[in-house]
Amino acid sequence: MAPFLAYEDKGTHASTALPLVLIHGHPFDHTMWAPQVAAFSPGRRVIVPDLRGYGASPVVPGITPLSVFAEDVAALLDDLRVPEFVLGGLSMGGQIVMECYRLFPGRVRGLLLADTFPAAETPAGRKSRNAMADRLLREGMAGYADEVLFKMVAPYARPEVAAHVRRMMTGTPAEGAAAALRGRAERPDYRELLTRIDVPTLVVVGEDDEYTPVEQAKAMHEAIPGSALHVVRAAAHLPNLEQPEEFNGALAGLLDRL
């Protein structure tokens, strides 16, 4: 049976290096990791799925909890016969990575947590996410994309990067994005989990990220034993696209530790 998720699988399967699995954020798709696939697939297997409701993966309306996203990732890696891996995610993808570590820590050999945060949603945040889900179903993605584009990337981002980010956002099915927003509104608190992480971990954040400010990244770094922190200069919420060379250098440092 074909895997449920659409995905890109690049690099040599014969490499002794651990596969690198990267989980995109909201409302994007696997192409947000294009610079990382290009940089790391010559030396190792790199797997980048489209989450359910995003990209070319099936759309399942309703509510998609983080646990369902994590179970989808595990099922894909089972299909691809990848028992152990380095796992990274950005924003919502980082929260899915935390949920994966909660559910199957024995498979995860290293962690990348980029521009994300571990706390449960506040009552105001739950109300806001559900209201946004209603709006996306009512209006579609274009207006939302225009409103948040220059918070996702910095206003000074290269035009081609901003255009790529807008294409991903407007190409996302509203039903999938809304289901994810409703699921994130009910997410658990991962702060205690962070203190139990016992694999090499890198926390990355753009210095101008308004969604997940540097202070939150520093708190995560301080909570995770032995973790490394890298603040990417001249970047907002998507430093892997805005400053790929610096981001890739930091990620290479994590992979070297393994």
Side-chain angles (χ1 to χ4, degrees):
M1 190 172 79
F4 179 74
L5 298 181
Y7 64 94
E8 186 175 6
D9 183 357
K10 294 290 188 181
T12 173
H13 293 203
S15 173
T16 58
L18 285 162
L20 174 62
V21 181
L22 297 171
I23 309 301
H24 67 77
H26 163 89
F28 309 124
D29 59 48
H30 79 275
T31 66
M32 69 161 279
W33 296 113
Q36 289 67 53
V37 173
F40 294 103
S41 60
R44 71 178 65 234
R45 192 175 179 184
V46 183
I47 300 165
V48 284
D50 284 336
L51 298 169
R52 69 165 65 198
Y54 296 87
S57 286
V59 176
V60 182
I63 301 175
T64 306
L66 295 182
S67 59
V68 170
F69 285 126
E71 289 159 3
D72 286 346
V73 171
L76 173 64
L77 296 174
D78 287 343
D79 287 336
L80 298 179
R81 299 184 180 182
V82 178
E84 295 182 324
F85 41 86
V86 181
L87 184 60
L90 184 145
S91 193
M92 180 181 78
Q95 293 170 338
I96 294 167
V97 164
M98 290 181 255
E99 180 66 12
C100 288
Y101 192 82
R102 185 183 74 83
L103 292 176
F104 43 90
R107 299 183 68 174
V108 180
R109 298 282 299 277
L111 286 172
L112 163 68
L113 297 170
D115 300 80
T116 191
F117 58 98
E121 192 56 272
T122 64
R126 284 195 294 273
K127 183 177 180 180
S128 174
R129 288 193 191 278
N130 281 297
M132 180 57 72
D134 291 340
R135 176 188 166 189
L136 296 182
L137 292 174
R138 187 171 62 248
E139 299 178 6
M141 299 297 293
Y144 167 73
D146 289 338
E147 286 175 16
V148 303
L149 176 59
F150 289 111
K151 291 179 70 176
M152 295 294 188
V153 298
Y156 50 76
R158 297 187 304 281
E160 64 272 20
V161 171
H164 177 196
V165 172
R166 190 180 187 281
R167 280 196 304 273
M168 288 191 290
M169 290 195 288
T170 57
T172 294
E175 296 86 351
L181 284 168
R182 297 194 200 283
R184 286 178 80 194
E186 306 303 325
R187 69 180 179 273
D189 194 322
Y190 295 109
R191 286 175 290 186
E192 190 276 331
L193 176 73
L194 297 184
T195 67
R196 295 187 278 112
I197 291 175
D198 64 356
V199 298
T201 300
L202 171 66
V203 178
V204 180
V205 67
E207 69 173 351
D208 292 329
D209 190 343
E210 295 181 37
Y211 287 119
T212 57
V214 172
E215 291 72 23
Q216 293 186 5
K218 288 179 177 177
M220 292 180 64
H221 161 58
E222 291 168 0
I224 301 170
S227 66
L229 172 67
H230 190 94
V231 180
V232 178
R233 296 161 295 178
H237 195 54
L238 292 165
N240 69 301
L241 284 171
E242 296 172 88
Q243 300 294 341
E245 291 186 3
E246 185 174 346
F247 186 97
N248 291 349
L251 179 52
L254 171 68
L255 297 174
D256 288 345
R257 293 170 62 189
L258 300 167

